[in-house]
Amino acid sequence: SIKKYSPALVIIDSGSEFDKQTLKFCKEVKKFSQRDIKVIFTDSTHEKEMILDAGADLYLPKPYELKDLFMWISKLID
C-alpha cells in the first residue's frame, strides 16, 4: 500500500479507455500520503485537464519514449 511503503514517485498508467477510478486513485495518493509523493500519469485518451486536476504532477501522453519518462522521473524526485 502507498501508506506502508511511502514511495517518492508513483506512475499511473491508464489504459486505452479513460477510467475515473484511476483519477480517484491519483487523488487518494496525493491526499493521504505522509509525504509529497510525485505522480506521473500516462494516458492515451488525452484527458490532460482532468488528470492534472486530480493532482498528478505530470501528464505524459502515450506514446512516449522511455528516455522521456526517465528524464521526468529524475526531475521530479531530485
Side-chain angles (χ1 to χ4, degrees):
S1 84
I2 294 294
K3 287 182 182 181
K4 182 177 179 181
Y5 295 105
S6 191
L9 184 136
V10 173
I11 299 172
I12 300 173
D13 181 44
S14 182
S16 59
E17 291 184 22
F18 192 69
D19 181 4
K20 293 196 179 197
Q21 287 298 102
T22 53
L23 287 179
K24 183 179 178 186
F25 177 71
C26 182
K27 288 178 185 177
E28 289 175 356
V29 167
K30 296 303 274 191
K31 184 177 181 181
F32 298 113
S33 64
Q34 300 295 324
R35 58 191 267 192
D36 183 26
I37 298 173
K38 300 298 181 189
V39 175
I40 296 176
F41 199 114
T42 69
D43 182 69
S44 60
T45 61
H46 308 293
E47 295 288 347
K48 180 179 180 177
E49 188 174 320
M50 290 177 70
I51 291 166
L52 293 176
D53 286 347
D57 296 286
L58 175 70
Y59 165 70
L60 191 59
K62 292 180 187 179
Y64 55 85
E65 297 288 327
L66 281 179
K67 65 178 179 60
D68 294 332
L69 176 62
F70 294 140
M71 177 207 52
W72 280 111
I73 290 170
S74 179
K75 283 185 176 193
L76 288 171
I77 61 173
D78 283 342

